[in-house]
PDB file of all heavy atoms in Angstrom:
ATOM      1  N   VAL A 554    -209.987-152.592  85.003  1.00 98.00           N
ATOM      2  CA  VAL A 554    -209.506-153.799  85.751  1.00 98.00           C
ATOM      3  C   VAL A 554    -208.402-153.362  86.783  1.00 98.00           C
ATOM      4  O   VAL A 554    -207.663-154.182  87.265  1.00 98.00           O
ATOM      5  CB  VAL A 554    -208.982-154.887  84.829  1.00 98.00           C
ATOM      6  CG1 VAL A 554    -210.160-155.545  84.116  1.00 98.00           C
ATOM      7  CG2 VAL A 554    -207.986-154.358  83.804  1.00 98.00           C
ATOM      8  N   GLY A 555    -208.327-152.054  87.135  1.00 98.00           N
ATOM      9  CA  GLY A 555    -207.530-151.601  88.286  1.00 98.00           C
ATOM     10  C   GLY A 555    -206.085-151.293  87.889  1.00 98.00           C
ATOM     11  O   GLY A 555    -205.285-151.254  88.846  1.00 98.00           O
ATOM     12  N   LEU A 556    -205.694-151.075  86.644  1.00 98.00           N
ATOM     13  CA  LEU A 556    -204.312-150.906  86.323  1.00 98.00           C
ATOM     14  C   LEU A 556    -203.996-149.442  85.919  1.00 98.00           C
ATOM     15  O   LEU A 556    -204.816-148.652  85.446  1.00 98.00           O
ATOM     16  CB  LEU A 556    -204.009-151.849  85.064  1.00 98.00           C
ATOM     17  CG  LEU A 556    -204.224-153.278  85.287  1.00 98.00           C
ATOM     18  CD1 LEU A 556    -203.790-154.062  83.987  1.00 98.00           C
ATOM     19  CD2 LEU A 556    -203.479-153.857  86.482  1.00 98.00           C
ATOM     20  N   LEU A 557    -202.685-149.078  86.160  1.00 98.00           N
ATOM     21  CA  LEU A 557    -202.210-147.740  85.870  1.00 98.00           C
ATOM     22  C   LEU A 557    -200.991-147.830  85.044  1.00 98.00           C
ATOM     23  O   LEU A 557    -200.119-148.724  85.273  1.00 98.00           O
ATOM     24  CB  LEU A 557    -201.853-147.018  87.202  1.00 98.00           C
ATOM     25  CG  LEU A 557    -203.003-146.525  88.098  1.00 98.00           C
ATOM     26  CD1 LEU A 557    -202.435-146.029  89.432  1.00 98.00           C
ATOM     27  CD2 LEU A 557    -203.787-145.433  87.400  1.00 98.00           C
ATOM     28  N   SER A 558    -200.778-146.875  84.072  1.00 98.00           N
ATOM     29  CA  SER A 558    -199.629-146.725  83.343  1.00 98.00           C
ATOM     30  C   SER A 558    -198.689-145.733  84.099  1.00 98.00           C
ATOM     31  O   SER A 558    -198.949-145.377  85.289  1.00 98.00           O
ATOM     32  CB  SER A 558    -199.849-146.238  81.913  1.00 98.00           C
ATOM     33  OG  SER A 558    -200.425-144.962  81.964  1.00 98.00           O
ATOM     34  N   GLU A 559    -197.658-145.270  83.423  1.00 97.00           N
ATOM     35  CA  GLU A 559    -196.718-144.345  84.033  1.00 97.00           C
ATOM     36  C   GLU A 559    -197.260-142.914  84.239  1.00 97.00           C
ATOM     37  O   GLU A 559    -197.043-142.381  85.237  1.00 97.00           O
ATOM     38  CB  GLU A 559    -195.476-144.307  83.121  1.00 97.00           C
ATOM     39  CG  GLU A 559    -194.394-143.442  83.620  1.00 97.00           C
ATOM     40  CD  GLU A 559    -193.208-143.359  82.635  1.00 97.00           C
ATOM     41  OE1 GLU A 559    -193.447-143.386  81.398  1.00 97.00           O
ATOM     42  OE2 GLU A 559    -192.088-143.278  83.108  1.00 97.00           O
ATOM     43  N   GLU A 560    -198.011-142.505  83.241  1.00 96.00           N
ATOM     44  CA  GLU A 560    -198.454-141.068  83.284  1.00 96.00           C
ATOM     45  C   GLU A 560    -199.952-141.011  82.915  1.00 96.00           C
ATOM     46  O   GLU A 560    -200.541-141.961  82.440  1.00 96.00           O
ATOM     47  CB  GLU A 560    -197.663-140.242  82.266  1.00 96.00           C
ATOM     48  CG  GLU A 560    -196.149-140.242  82.548  1.00 96.00           C
ATOM     49  CD  GLU A 560    -195.410-139.350  81.532  1.00 96.00           C
ATOM     50  OE1 GLU A 560    -196.051-138.709  80.733  1.00 96.00           O
ATOM     51  OE2 GLU A 560    -194.154-139.332  81.666  1.00 96.00           O
ATOM     52  N   TYR A 561    -200.526-139.778  83.127  1.00 96.00           N
ATOM     53  CA  TYR A 561    -201.880-139.577  82.757  1.00 96.00           C
ATOM     54  C   TYR A 561    -202.013-138.153  82.141  1.00 96.00           C
ATOM     55  O   TYR A 561    -201.396-137.201  82.585  1.00 96.00           O
ATOM     56  CB  TYR A 561    -202.820-139.604  83.993  1.00 96.00           C
ATOM     57  CG  TYR A 561    -204.300-139.596  83.727  1.00 96.00           C
ATOM     58  CD1 TYR A 561    -204.966-140.779  83.197  1.00 96.00           C
ATOM     59  CD2 TYR A 561    -205.000-138.407  83.803  1.00 96.00           C
ATOM     60  CE1 TYR A 561    -206.294-140.721  82.868  1.00 96.00           C
ATOM     61  CE2 TYR A 561    -206.327-138.384  83.501  1.00 96.00           C
ATOM     62  CZ  TYR A 561    -206.999-139.546  83.102  1.00 96.00           C
ATOM     63  OH  TYR A 561    -208.361-139.499  82.765  1.00 96.00           O
ATOM     64  N   ASP A 562    -202.827-138.074  81.048  1.00 93.00           N
ATOM     65  CA  ASP A 562    -203.117-136.825  80.457  1.00 93.00           C
ATOM     66  C   ASP A 562    -204.493-136.366  80.854  1.00 93.00           C
ATOM     67  O   ASP A 562    -205.514-136.935  80.375  1.00 93.00           O
ATOM     68  CB  ASP A 562    -203.033-136.952  78.907  1.00 93.00           C
ATOM     69  CG  ASP A 562    -203.271-135.674  78.197  1.00 93.00           C
ATOM     70  OD1 ASP A 562    -203.801-134.676  78.806  1.00 93.00           O
ATOM     71  OD2 ASP A 562    -203.061-135.540  76.936  1.00 93.00           O
ATOM     72  N   PRO A 563    -204.607-135.392  81.767  1.00 92.00           N
ATOM     73  CA  PRO A 563    -205.866-135.025  82.254  1.00 92.00           C
ATOM     74  C   PRO A 563    -206.722-134.217  81.261  1.00 92.00           C
ATOM     75  O   PRO A 563    -207.900-134.069  81.449  1.00 92.00           O
ATOM     76  CB  PRO A 563    -205.617-134.133  83.517  1.00 92.00           C
ATOM     77  CG  PRO A 563    -204.216-133.671  83.281  1.00 92.00           C
ATOM     78  CD  PRO A 563    -203.521-134.690  82.473  1.00 92.00           C
ATOM     79  N   VAL A 564    -206.095-133.747  80.161  1.00 91.00           N
ATOM     80  CA  VAL A 564    -206.868-133.033  79.143  1.00 91.00           C
ATOM     81  C   VAL A 564    -207.556-134.015  78.263  1.00 91.00           C
ATOM     82  O   VAL A 564    -208.720-133.979  78.064  1.00 91.00           O
ATOM     83  CB  VAL A 564    -205.955-132.068  78.359  1.00 91.00           C
ATOM     84  CG1 VAL A 564    -206.729-131.421  77.295  1.00 91.00           C
ATOM     85  CG2 VAL A 564    -205.290-131.080  79.275  1.00 91.00           C
ATOM     86  N   ALA A 565    -206.762-134.964  77.736  1.00 91.00           N
ATOM     87  CA  ALA A 565    -207.333-135.989  76.875  1.00 91.00           C
ATOM     88  C   ALA A 565    -207.984-137.132  77.669  1.00 91.00           C
ATOM     89  O   ALA A 565    -208.703-137.919  77.109  1.00 91.00           O
ATOM     90  CB  ALA A 565    -206.209-136.588  75.970  1.00 91.00           C
ATOM     91  N   ARG A 566    -207.723-137.127  78.978  1.00 94.00           N
ATOM     92  CA  ARG A 566    -208.314-138.136  79.844  1.00 94.00           C
ATOM     93  C   ARG A 566    -207.925-139.532  79.417  1.00 94.00           C
ATOM     94  O   ARG A 566    -208.785-140.464  79.225  1.00 94.00           O
ATOM     95  CB  ARG A 566    -209.818-138.009  80.035  1.00 94.00           C
ATOM     96  CG  ARG A 566    -210.184-136.706  80.592  1.00 94.00           C
ATOM     97  CD  ARG A 566    -211.757-136.582  80.808  1.00 94.00           C
ATOM     98  NE  ARG A 566    -212.062-135.346  81.462  1.00 94.00           N
ATOM     99  CZ  ARG A 566    -213.296-134.986  81.747  1.00 94.00           C
ATOM    100  NH1 ARG A 566    -214.349-135.860  81.522  1.00 94.00           N
ATOM    101  NH2 ARG A 566    -213.589-133.826  82.336  1.00 94.00           N
ATOM    102  N   ARG A 567    -206.587-139.712  79.326  1.00 96.00           N
ATOM    103  CA  ARG A 567    -206.153-141.113  78.924  1.00 96.00           C
ATOM    104  C   ARG A 567    -204.746-141.311  79.564  1.00 96.00           C
ATOM    105  O   ARG A 567    -204.011-140.411  79.903  1.00 96.00           O
ATOM    106  CB  ARG A 567    -205.973-141.219  77.418  1.00 96.00           C
ATOM    107  CG  ARG A 567    -205.133-140.194  76.724  1.00 96.00           C
ATOM    108  CD  ARG A 567    -205.138-140.417  75.215  1.00 96.00           C
ATOM    109  NE  ARG A 567    -204.639-141.719  74.850  1.00 96.00           N
ATOM    110  CZ  ARG A 567    -204.698-142.200  73.599  1.00 96.00           C
ATOM    111  NH1 ARG A 567    -205.290-141.521  72.635  1.00 96.00           N
ATOM    112  NH2 ARG A 567    -204.182-143.343  73.267  1.00 96.00           N
ATOM    113  N   GLN A 568    -204.398-142.673  79.776  1.00 97.00           N
ATOM    114  CA  GLN A 568    -203.146-143.012  80.273  1.00 97.00           C
ATOM    115  C   GLN A 568    -202.110-142.947  79.157  1.00 97.00           C
ATOM    116  O   GLN A 568    -202.326-143.067  78.028  1.00 97.00           O
ATOM    117  CB  GLN A 568    -203.209-144.404  80.870  1.00 97.00           C
ATOM    118  CG  GLN A 568    -204.223-144.535  82.095  1.00 97.00           C
ATOM    119  CD  GLN A 568    -204.123-145.886  82.776  1.00 97.00           C
ATOM    120  OE1 GLN A 568    -203.086-146.489  82.728  1.00 97.00           O
ATOM    121  NE2 GLN A 568    -205.182-146.167  83.506  1.00 97.00           N
ATOM    122  N   LEU A 569    -200.859-142.678  79.666  1.00 96.00           N
ATOM    123  CA  LEU A 569    -199.697-142.578  78.799  1.00 96.00           C
ATOM    124  C   LEU A 569    -198.500-143.338  79.404  1.00 96.00           C
ATOM    125  O   LEU A 569    -198.502-143.561  80.634  1.00 96.00           O
ATOM    126  CB  LEU A 569    -199.300-141.102  78.608  1.00 96.00           C
ATOM    127  CG  LEU A 569    -200.265-140.174  77.911  1.00 96.00           C
ATOM    128  CD1 LEU A 569    -199.742-138.736  78.065  1.00 96.00           C
ATOM    129  CD2 LEU A 569    -200.450-140.530  76.443  1.00 96.00           C
ATOM    130  N   GLY A 570    -197.541-143.744  78.592  1.00 97.00           N
ATOM    131  CA  GLY A 570    -196.333-144.383  79.061  1.00 97.00           C
ATOM    132  C   GLY A 570    -196.543-145.859  79.280  1.00 97.00           C
ATOM    133  O   GLY A 570    -197.657-146.499  79.045  1.00 97.00           O
ATOM    134  N   ASN A 571    -195.460-146.562  79.586  1.00 97.00           N
ATOM    135  CA  ASN A 571    -195.450-148.027  79.718  1.00 97.00           C
ATOM    136  C   ASN A 571    -196.455-148.549  80.758  1.00 97.00           C
ATOM    137  O   ASN A 571    -196.747-147.821  81.735  1.00 97.00           O
ATOM    138  CB  ASN A 571    -194.047-148.505  79.962  1.00 97.00           C
ATOM    139  CG  ASN A 571    -193.139-148.429  78.768  1.00 97.00           C
ATOM    140  OD1 ASN A 571    -193.493-149.033  77.700  1.00 97.00           O
ATOM    141  ND2 ASN A 571    -192.073-147.714  78.781  1.00 97.00           N
ATOM    142  N   PHE A 572    -196.851-149.784  80.517  1.00 98.00           N
ATOM    143  CA  PHE A 572    -198.082-150.257  81.210  1.00 98.00           C
ATOM    144  C   PHE A 572    -198.034-151.770  81.496  1.00 98.00           C
ATOM    145  O   PHE A 572    -197.571-152.496  80.574  1.00 98.00           O
ATOM    146  CB  PHE A 572    -199.263-149.939  80.292  1.00 98.00           C
ATOM    147  CG  PHE A 572    -200.645-150.427  80.751  1.00 98.00           C
ATOM    148  CD1 PHE A 572    -201.434-149.655  81.587  1.00 98.00           C
ATOM    149  CD2 PHE A 572    -201.100-151.603  80.306  1.00 98.00           C
ATOM    150  CE1 PHE A 572    -202.636-150.063  82.020  1.00 98.00           C
ATOM    151  CE2 PHE A 572    -202.323-152.101  80.751  1.00 98.00           C
ATOM    152  CZ  PHE A 572    -203.119-151.339  81.576  1.00 98.00           C
ATOM    153  N   PRO A 573    -198.543-152.212  82.590  1.00 98.00           N
ATOM    154  CA  PRO A 573    -198.788-151.319  83.805  1.00 98.00           C
ATOM    155  C   PRO A 573    -197.482-151.051  84.434  1.00 98.00           C
ATOM    156  O   PRO A 573    -196.522-151.783  84.349  1.00 98.00           O
ATOM    157  CB  PRO A 573    -199.648-152.311  84.672  1.00 98.00           C
ATOM    158  CG  PRO A 573    -199.275-153.667  84.253  1.00 98.00           C
ATOM    159  CD  PRO A 573    -198.899-153.629  82.792  1.00 98.00           C
ATOM    160  N   GLN A 574    -197.452-149.909  85.102  1.00 97.00           N
ATOM    161  CA  GLN A 574    -196.182-149.374  85.641  1.00 97.00           C
ATOM    162  C   GLN A 574    -195.997-149.634  87.152  1.00 97.00           C
ATOM    163  O   GLN A 574    -196.802-149.258  87.933  1.00 97.00           O
ATOM    164  CB  GLN A 574    -196.235-147.841  85.472  1.00 97.00           C
ATOM    165  CG  GLN A 574    -195.062-147.072  86.062  1.00 97.00           C
ATOM    166  CD  GLN A 574    -193.809-147.130  85.162  1.00 97.00           C
ATOM    167  OE1 GLN A 574    -193.877-147.763  84.103  1.00 97.00           O
ATOM    168  NE2 GLN A 574    -192.771-146.409  85.572  1.00 97.00           N
ATOM    169  N   ALA A 575    -194.998-150.355  87.432  1.00 96.00           N
ATOM    170  CA  ALA A 575    -194.732-150.756  88.884  1.00 96.00           C
ATOM    171  C   ALA A 575    -194.674-149.528  89.743  1.00 96.00           C
ATOM    172  O   ALA A 575    -195.277-149.534  90.893  1.00 96.00           O
ATOM    173  CB  ALA A 575    -193.440-151.547  89.044  1.00 96.00           C
ATOM    174  N   PHE A 576    -194.011-148.443  89.374  1.00 95.00           N
ATOM    175  CA  PHE A 576    -193.822-147.270  90.223  1.00 95.00           C
ATOM    176  C   PHE A 576    -195.159-146.675  90.529  1.00 95.00           C
ATOM    177  O   PHE A 576    -195.352-146.242  91.701  1.00 95.00           O
ATOM    178  CB  PHE A 576    -192.958-146.237  89.421  1.00 95.00           C
ATOM    179  CG  PHE A 576    -191.897-145.550  90.278  1.00 95.00           C
ATOM    180  CD1 PHE A 576    -191.598-146.033  91.572  1.00 95.00           C
ATOM    181  CD2 PHE A 576    -191.270-144.453  89.858  1.00 95.00           C
ATOM    182  CE1 PHE A 576    -190.543-145.417  92.332  1.00 95.00           C
ATOM    183  CE2 PHE A 576    -190.294-143.803  90.619  1.00 95.00           C
ATOM    184  CZ  PHE A 576    -189.992-144.306  91.822  1.00 95.00           C
TER     185      PHE A 576
END
Side-chain angles (χ1 to χ4, degrees):
V554 290
L556 303 181
L557 287 171
S558 65
E559 180 182 36
E560 300 181 5
Y561 188 80
D562 181 346
V564 177
R566 297 185 178 180
R567 60 182 297 171
Q568 296 191 23
L569 296 171
N571 284 305
F572 176 89
Q574 174 83 355
F576 222 15

